[in-house]
């Protein structure tokens, strides 16, 4: 790994601490990245412990495979944590997993490699796929999507106030020439955005939205959370690190839903036992945020927020 593409793991100690590692436990790192969390987990596992690592990114998987060659406790899957239930069943671990960690979003190496097409700060091919060998690239989608669909994506996944205006600018621009690079798209969005936010590039929200859409990030998150609940054993821990409000909202609502239990129609007599027997999670009262020291050392940690829940039944 080059110096420029190094990755600093966010909330490293805090996340692994919340997994409550037991020496012979079974753990899953659903977003291996460059292996920071995984290596910390392994340092606390005993000889009988097991760690399954998952990632969409081929480069991350290459590093994970090297780790697996060095450590027999590690198993590697190239794919999405949205298929978590499938992988766990293959390992015969259903209902036996002690802890699951999901560190969401895009990694620093992905952002910093211009060839991946994630960043508006560097010029590169407009790709944005976490797995460049699978799915439709951002450039291909922009070339074919109609204006209304582009506006919906920018609004729903980027919370972009000027989604319609930007979508119209994209469609008009592609009539003149194909939009194939990050620089092209960033300039189109910047020119179409009439109100730049202080200390934020005007293309930030649009790039986020397209990346989330291309990679099905929110759909994968919802499925991954549902699968995690089935995979964990009683008292198993779910730890999720989010980097923007859309992700965090899904995680928060998921935990609250399973804390609350079954919702009965108004007027139906409900006993305490009926409610408690349907409660499947207990969330930690306060989310965890990075310390000031961590933010100073790694500014990309600033927006991170970690939520933790324990499976009850």
């Amino acid at each position: 790994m080059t110096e420029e593409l190094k990755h600093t793991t966010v909330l490293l100690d805090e996340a692994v601490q919340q997994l409550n590692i037991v020496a012979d436990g079974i753990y899953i790192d659903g977003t291996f990245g460059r292996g920071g969390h995984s290596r910390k987990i392994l340092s606390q596992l005993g000889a009988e412990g097991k760690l399954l690592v998952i990632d969409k990114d081929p480069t991350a998987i290459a590093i994970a495979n090297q780790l697996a060659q060095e450590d027999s406790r590690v198993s590697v899957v190239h794919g999405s944590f949205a298929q978590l239930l499938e992988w766990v069943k293959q390992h015969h671990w259903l209902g036996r997993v002690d802890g699951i960690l999901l560190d969401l979003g895009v990694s620093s190496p992905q952002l910093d490699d211009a060839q991946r097409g994630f960043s508006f700060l560097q010029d590169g091919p407009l790709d944005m796929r976490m797995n460049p060998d699978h799915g439709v690239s951002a450039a291909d989608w922009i070339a074919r999507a109609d204006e209304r669909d582009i506006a919906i994506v920018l609004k729903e996944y980027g919370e972009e106030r000027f989604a319609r205006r930007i979508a119209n600018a994209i469609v008009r621009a592609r009539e003149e020439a194909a939009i194939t690079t990050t620089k092209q798209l960033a300039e189109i969005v910047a020119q179409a955005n009439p109100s730049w936010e202080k200390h934020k590039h005007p293309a930030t929200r649009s790039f986020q939205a397209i990346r989330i859409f291309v990679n099905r990030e929110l759909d994968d998150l919802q499925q991954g959370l549902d699968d995690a609940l089935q995979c964990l054993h009683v008292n198993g821990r779910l730890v999720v690190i989010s980097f923007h409000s859309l992700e965090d909202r899904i995680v928060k609502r998921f935990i609250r839903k399973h804390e609350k239990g079954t919702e009965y129609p108004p007027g139906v007599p409900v006993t305490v036992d009926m409610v408690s027997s349907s409660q499947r999670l207990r969330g930690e009262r306060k989310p965890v945020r990075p310390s000031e020291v961590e933010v100073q050392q790694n500014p990309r940690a600033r927006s991170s927020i970690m939520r933790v829940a324990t499976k009850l039944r």
Side-chain angles (χ1 to χ4, degrees):
M1 194 185 311
T2 65
E3 188 70 26
E4 296 80 30
L5 300 185
K6 281 187 176 180
H7 176 65
T8 302
T9 304
V10 173
L11 293 168
L12 174 60
D13 294 334
E14 294 88 344
V16 176
Q17 181 182 21
Q18 289 297 332
L19 286 171
N20 289 348
I21 304 293
V22 293
D24 61 349
I26 299 172
Y27 295 88
I28 298 174
D29 184 349
T31 46
F32 178 79
R34 293 303 181 265
H37 287 121
S38 287
R39 290 184 177 87
K40 187 77 173 181
I41 292 169
L42 289 169
S43 73
Q44 298 182 23
L45 280 179
E48 300 302 315
K50 301 293 182 184
L51 175 64
L52 174 66
V53 302
I54 304 169
D55 209 292
K56 293 180 180 180
D57 193 311
T59 304
I61 289 299
I63 296 171
N65 284 331
Q66 291 176 0
L67 181 62
Q69 290 177 2
E70 300 165 0
D71 194 324
S72 61
R73 298 172 297 175
V74 179
S75 300
V76 180
V77 171
H78 185 193
S80 168
F81 58 69
Q83 300 166 280
L84 186 60
L85 189 59
E86 176 185 341
W87 312 131
V88 167
K89 284 181 176 179
Q90 288 181 11
H91 283 77
H92 306 291
W93 291 346
L94 188 62
R96 298 174 54 204
V97 178
D98 293 273
I100 297 172
L101 171 63
L102 303 177
D103 181 3
L104 306 176
V106 63
S107 69
S108 293
Q110 289 170 330
L111 280 172
D112 294 339
D113 184 354
Q115 295 304 306
R116 300 301 301 274
F118 286 103
S119 177
F120 44 76
L121 298 177
Q122 304 180 74
D123 194 22
L126 187 59
D127 195 310
M128 294 196 193
R129 289 173 294 176
M130 292 182 180
N131 182 352
D133 301 321
H134 180 74
V136 177
S137 71
D140 288 342
W141 177 71
I142 283 175
R144 298 198 301 264
D146 64 35
E147 183 176 328
R148 179 176 179 274
D149 287 342
I150 295 173
I152 289 173
V153 166
L154 299 184
K155 180 67 174 178
E156 292 189 358
Y157 297 144
E159 300 177 300
E160 175 56 69
R161 287 187 297 158
F162 306 105
R164 290 183 181 179
R165 182 169 180 156
I166 293 170
N168 178 261
I170 290 172
V171 170
R172 285 189 287 107
R174 78 185 183 191
E175 292 174 352
E176 301 295 327
I179 304 170
T180 60
T181 71
T182 54
K183 183 178 180 180
Q184 282 178 282
L185 180 59
E187 289 178 349
I188 292 165
V189 173
Q191 291 173 11
N193 192 322
S195 179
W196 294 17
E197 298 175 63
K198 191 175 182 180
H199 305 308
K200 180 177 284 190
H201 191 286
T204 300
R205 294 180 182 275
S206 295
F207 269 64
Q208 171 189 296
I210 295 169
R211 188 205 82 215
I212 289 173
F213 175 78
V214 165
N215 292 288
R216 293 176 44 86
E217 292 178 40
L218 300 188
D219 292 336
D220 280 10
L221 174 57
Q222 187 61 65
Q223 184 62 56
L225 292 172
D226 289 339
D227 283 7
L229 191 55
Q230 295 186 64
C231 295
L232 289 167
H233 71 54
V234 173
N235 294 323
R237 302 277 274 189
L238 174 64
V239 178
V240 186
I241 302 172
S242 305
F243 287 85
H244 57 74
S245 60
L246 296 176
E247 293 172 338
D248 183 54
R249 198 175 302 143
I250 290 173
V251 177
K252 180 168 63 175
R253 287 175 177 172
F254 176 82
I255 293 173
R256 285 183 176 175
K257 172 186 174 182
H258 291 288
E259 279 184 320
K260 192 173 183 180
T262 303
E263 292 191 24
Y264 295 91
V268 174
V270 179
T271 66
V272 172
D273 287 343
M274 289 169 63
V275 173
S276 61
S277 65
S278 66
Q279 294 171 326
R280 303 194 65 193
L281 288 175
R282 181 183 67 250
E284 295 299 308
R285 295 187 65 180
K286 289 186 177 182
V288 179
R289 297 183 183 274
S291 66
E292 292 184 8
V293 172
E294 179 171 2
V295 172
Q296 289 174 359
Q297 294 174 345
N298 179 20
R300 285 178 177 166
R302 181 179 293 107
S303 60
S304 63
I305 179 171
M306 182 174 73
R307 295 188 185 272
V308 181
T310 302
K311 183 173 176 178
L312 299 177
R313 55 182 49 82

